[in-house]
Amino acid sequence: MVVGVIGLGLIGGSMAIDLKRRGFADRVLGVEADTVNAAAAEKIGLVDAVVPFDNLVEESDIVIIAVPVGTAVKMLPEILDKFQQIEGGEKKIVIDTCSTKGQIVRCVHYHPMRKCYVATHPMAGTEYSGPWAAMPNLYDGRACIFANTEESDPKAVHIVEKLYDALNMRPIYMNADNHDVHTAYVSHISHVTSFALALTVLDKEKDEKHIFDLASGGFSSTVRLAKSNADMWVPILSQNRDNVLQVIDTYIDKMKQFRDAIDEFDEDKIRDLISEANRIKKIIR
Amino acid sequence: MVVGVIGLGLIGGSMAIDLKRRGFADRVLGVEADTVNAAAAEKIGLVDAVVPFDNLVEESDIVIIAVPVGTAVKMLPEILDKFQQIEGGEKKIVIDTCSTKGQIVRCVHYHPMRKCYVATHPMAGTEYSGPWAAMPNLYDGRACIFANTEESDPKAVHIVEKLYDALNMRPIYMNADNHDVHTAYVSHISHVTSFALALTVLDKEKDEKHIFDLASGGFSSTVRLAKSNADMWVPILSQNRDNVLQVIDTYIDKMKQFRDAIDEFDEDKIRDLISEANRIKKIIR
């Protein structure tokens, strides 16, 4: 099996590493638009060869789109177009790894080669990016969402299930729009709250030495996601606008409840809010 | 040296473990108001003996107050009162470990035994609490703030510096009110943002299985502090009210900037906000 990975950053690079060394792929090809990253990916040895886009699409049995979702929604129809032109193209598969699914699924809904596409979201990552952030075992034990599989060829879905099985991921099947609602709550909002926390602290603490000296493990953990890459997160927040706005509004409302309780020295109310929040202990270990 | 630890939870228990095994204390006594926790602390062996409050104060060379700050502000003057009544009491030392320093320092400012008290804040912890959360090496490499040392006996300060040196902590000297401003930014706000995040997600995701299935490493990290104990955090937020309110207001303002940028599909503005937040990378590794 030849696997082609478009975008050799944290997500694509980590998939390339494990698909090759675990024997799912006999050969891994890569495409990387950034020339520095492309050279680094070759040097690190993430893929067997970095090749031009057209060659990758022609030579790969499975194409993995691992680029920011803004680019992915333009790239996916182009790849399906190429499948249509290639002899035996209907046997090829293309998947994406994007964190929002509604728009990308809609953009190829009427494409004649739609069945070759399987929409997935492997829910793993770190706050780092680029080929140097790629690592083995990134996906082990995490969930991978398959969206709208009824629109894909069942054989293609089956092969993609095997691909994620090689990455040790748990499959979860979901409608693309439900996916976007849930990820707004358990992923996208966390990034916004971290960005806002970093901005708040940077705004106040002009003397960065104080932040460094005083940052506890708790602060570091809470602000960790604020290191995340703008290229990835701008299109996610933009494409998942409606859901994210709804979560932000709920979140601001919760912050205001804390604000008012603290303002009024209402210790019973603060205690109620914290005790209620503590319920997360039972869910997240 | 006999060290007495009042409050055998995460903070006090972890100090007890390392002060004993690293040879700073020959004997460690403990006081614990909660009977279950007291029995557990003895069984785990956090201290050499759990004793009544008065015995601990009489027998210890250094008393460590490791209870929530609301209790600590009442306990500290009582301990200094007892020092006054005990022969040789002026040679004893009492320290606290609380996360807010303004009020506790003010509450004994005019106490005749004030010089026996050294105000400290060892900045370490986890989201867990109780004697079973205590662990060795908790404090290694972290910062310990000494507040208003000019009000303490220099000899007492010197001994307390040795105590924290045994815990491998870096001392930082600071005015109590400055401490409270800085910790509002680098510690207290992180807890409020995590509590609010947990409340938001719990509110929306009535089906807890979804949270469990979909929670990425990023969400877990950001929401980790929401597991923190109400007994500890209610008095901190209450005592540091003015600073915390100021930070929350700045924070809500930043969240609204994100909200408006997303609402208006203003990708340039979202990018600017994220890029600015990314500056935290240079400070927190």
Side-chain angles (χ1 to χ4, degrees):
Chain A
M1 178 94 69
V2 178
V3 173
V5 179
I6 301 175
L8 298 173
L10 168 70
I11 297 300
S14 300
M15 291 180 93
I17 293 171
D18 280 343
L19 291 177
K20 181 71 189 276
R21 76 187 180 109
R22 292 178 183 172
F24 180 86
D26 303 304
R27 186 167 159 76
V28 180
L29 303 176
V31 159
E32 172 53 57
D34 183 290
T35 51
V36 173
N37 290 20
E42 278 208 295
K43 193 156 188 179
I44 296 167
L46 292 182
V47 292
D48 294 306
V50 173
V51 298
F53 182 83
D54 286 355
N55 296 41
L56 183 139
V57 176
E58 273 166 35
E59 295 172 32
S60 302
D61 300 301
I62 304 183
V63 176
I64 301 174
I65 303 176
V67 299
V69 63
T71 312
V73 294
K74 291 169 200 155
M75 195 179 272
L76 176 60
E78 289 173 22
I79 293 171
L80 290 178
D81 288 350
K82 284 192 191 298
F83 282 4
Q84 205 167 5
Q85 294 152 14
I86 298 170
E87 200 180 306
E90 71 286 352
K91 289 183 189 155
K92 287 180 182 284
I93 298 170
V94 56
I95 68 178
D96 78 304
T97 59
C98 298
S99 301
T100 56
K101 298 257 76 84
Q103 195 166 332
I104 195 160
V105 159
R106 269 191 295 279
C107 83
V108 291
H109 184 65
Y110 296 107
H111 196 289
M113 302 295 277
R114 171 65 182 83
K115 286 192 164 302
C116 297
Y117 165 56
V118 182
T120 65
H121 176 201
M123 295 195 69
T126 73
E127 66 275 32
Y128 303 108
S129 55
W132 29 77
M135 57 170 79
N137 311 323
L138 178 68
Y139 299 101
D140 284 5
R142 314 311 305 254
C144 179
I145 296 170
F146 285 67
N148 297 20
T149 45
E150 70 285 357
E151 300 182 35
S152 309
D153 180 352
K155 282 181 204 156
V157 174
H158 186 62
I159 293 169
V160 176
E161 284 168 339
K162 282 191 174 166
L163 182 151
Y164 282 110
D165 189 53
L167 296 176
N168 287 331
M169 301 198 84
R170 288 179 290 117
I172 297 176
Y173 302 87
M174 201 177 278
N175 169 280
D177 291 326
N178 284 342
H179 166 278
D180 288 358
V181 172
H182 290 303
T183 51
Y185 276 86
V186 298
S187 167
H188 304 170
I189 186 69
S190 313
H191 285 79
V192 180
T193 63
S194 278
F195 291 135
L197 179 61
L199 289 172
T200 303
V201 174
L202 289 166
D203 222 36
K204 172 65 190 180
E205 296 279 3
K206 299 296 178 199
D207 177 4
E208 297 182 353
K209 194 170 175 311
H210 268 131
I211 306 179
F212 178 79
D213 275 346
L214 300 180
S216 57
F219 175 69
S220 304
S221 151
T222 316
V223 87
R224 181 169 74 81
L225 297 182
K227 301 173 188 171
S228 301
N229 188 276
D231 289 337
M232 175 167 174
W233 282 93
V234 170
I236 292 175
L237 298 177
S238 179
Q239 288 204 6
N240 206 13
R241 171 180 175 274
D242 297 352
N243 293 317
V244 170
L245 284 182
Q246 209 186 329
V247 189
I248 290 180
D249 287 342
T250 307
Y251 183 84
I252 289 176
D253 179 60
K254 300 294 180 189
M255 283 301 288
K256 283 185 177 160
Q257 288 182 31
F258 264 101
R259 195 212 175 283
D260 293 345
I262 295 168
D263 188 32
E264 291 157 19
F265 289 107
D266 186 348
E267 296 201 350
D268 290 340
K269 176 71 181 169
I270 304 176
R271 179 173 298 277
D272 287 347
L273 288 167
I274 293 179
S275 302
E276 171 68 15
N278 282 168
R279 286 206 300 122
I280 202 76
K281 272 196 272 202
K282 294 186 185 160
I283 305 167
I284 309 279
R285 302 261 162 211
Chain B
M1 176 95 68
V2 178
V3 173
V5 179
I6 302 176
L8 298 174
L10 168 71
I11 298 299
S14 300
M15 291 180 93
I17 293 170
D18 279 343
L19 291 176
K20 182 73 189 279
R21 78 187 177 109
R22 292 179 183 172
F24 180 88
D26 302 306
R27 189 168 155 75
V28 180
L29 303 175
V31 160
E32 173 53 58
D34 183 288
T35 52
V36 173
N37 289 20
E42 276 205 297
K43 193 156 189 180
I44 295 168
L46 292 183
V47 293
D48 294 306
V50 173
V51 298
F53 182 84
D54 286 356
N55 296 39
L56 182 138
V57 176
E58 273 166 34
E59 294 173 33
S60 302
D61 301 301
I62 303 183
V63 176
I64 300 174
I65 304 176
V67 299
V69 63
T71 313
V73 293
K74 292 170 199 150
M75 195 179 271
L76 176 60
E78 289 173 21
I79 292 171
L80 290 177
D81 288 351
K82 286 193 188 296
F83 282 4
Q84 205 167 8
Q85 294 151 14
I86 297 168
E87 200 180 305
E90 72 285 354
K91 288 184 189 155
K92 286 180 182 287
I93 299 170
V94 57
I95 70 177
D96 77 305
T97 60
C98 297
S99 302
T100 56
K101 297 259 78 82
Q103 194 166 332
I104 195 161
V105 159
R106 269 191 295 280
C107 82
V108 292
H109 184 66
Y110 297 106
H111 197 289
M113 301 297 276
R114 170 65 181 85
K115 286 193 163 304
C116 296
Y117 165 57
V118 182
T120 64
H121 176 201
M123 296 194 70
T126 73
E127 65 276 32
Y128 305 106
S129 55
W132 28 77
M135 57 170 79
N137 311 323
L138 178 66
Y139 299 102
D140 284 5
R142 316 309 307 250
C144 180
I145 295 170
F146 285 67
N148 297 19
T149 45
E150 69 286 355
E151 299 181 35
S152 308
D153 181 350
K155 281 180 203 156
V157 173
H158 187 63
I159 292 168
V160 177
E161 285 167 339
K162 282 189 175 168
L163 182 151
Y164 282 109
D165 189 52
L167 296 176
N168 287 332
M169 300 198 86
R170 290 178 289 118
I172 296 177
Y173 302 88
M174 203 178 277
N175 167 280
D177 291 326
N178 283 341
H179 166 277
D180 288 357
V181 171
H182 290 301
T183 51
Y185 277 86
V186 297
S187 168
H188 305 170
I189 185 70
S190 315
H191 286 79
V192 180
T193 63
S194 278
F195 291 135
L197 179 61
L199 290 171
T200 302
V201 174
L202 290 166
D203 222 37
K204 170 67 190 180
E205 297 279 4
K206 298 297 177 199
D207 177 3
E208 298 183 353
K209 193 169 174 312
H210 268 131
I211 306 179
F212 177 79
D213 274 345
L214 300 182
S216 58
F219 176 70
S220 304
S221 154
T222 316
V223 86
R224 181 169 74 82
L225 297 181
K227 302 173 188 173
S228 301
N229 189 274
D231 289 338
M232 174 166 174
W233 282 94
V234 170
I236 292 174
L237 297 178
S238 179
Q239 287 203 9
N240 206 14
R241 171 180 176 275
D242 296 353
N243 293 318
V244 170
L245 284 182
Q246 210 185 328
V247 190
I248 290 180
D249 287 343
T250 306
Y251 182 84
I252 290 176
D253 179 59
K254 301 291 180 191
M255 282 300 288
K256 283 184 177 163
Q257 288 183 32
F258 264 102
R259 195 212 176 284
D260 294 345
I262 294 168
D263 189 29
E264 292 157 17
F265 289 107
D266 186 348
E267 296 202 350
D268 289 340
K269 176 71 181 170
I270 304 175
R271 179 172 297 277
D272 287 348
L273 289 168
I274 293 180
S275 301
E276 172 67 15
N278 281 168
R279 286 206 300 120
I280 203 77
K281 273 197 269 201
K282 295 186 184 160
I283 305 167
I284 309 281
R285 302 259 163 214

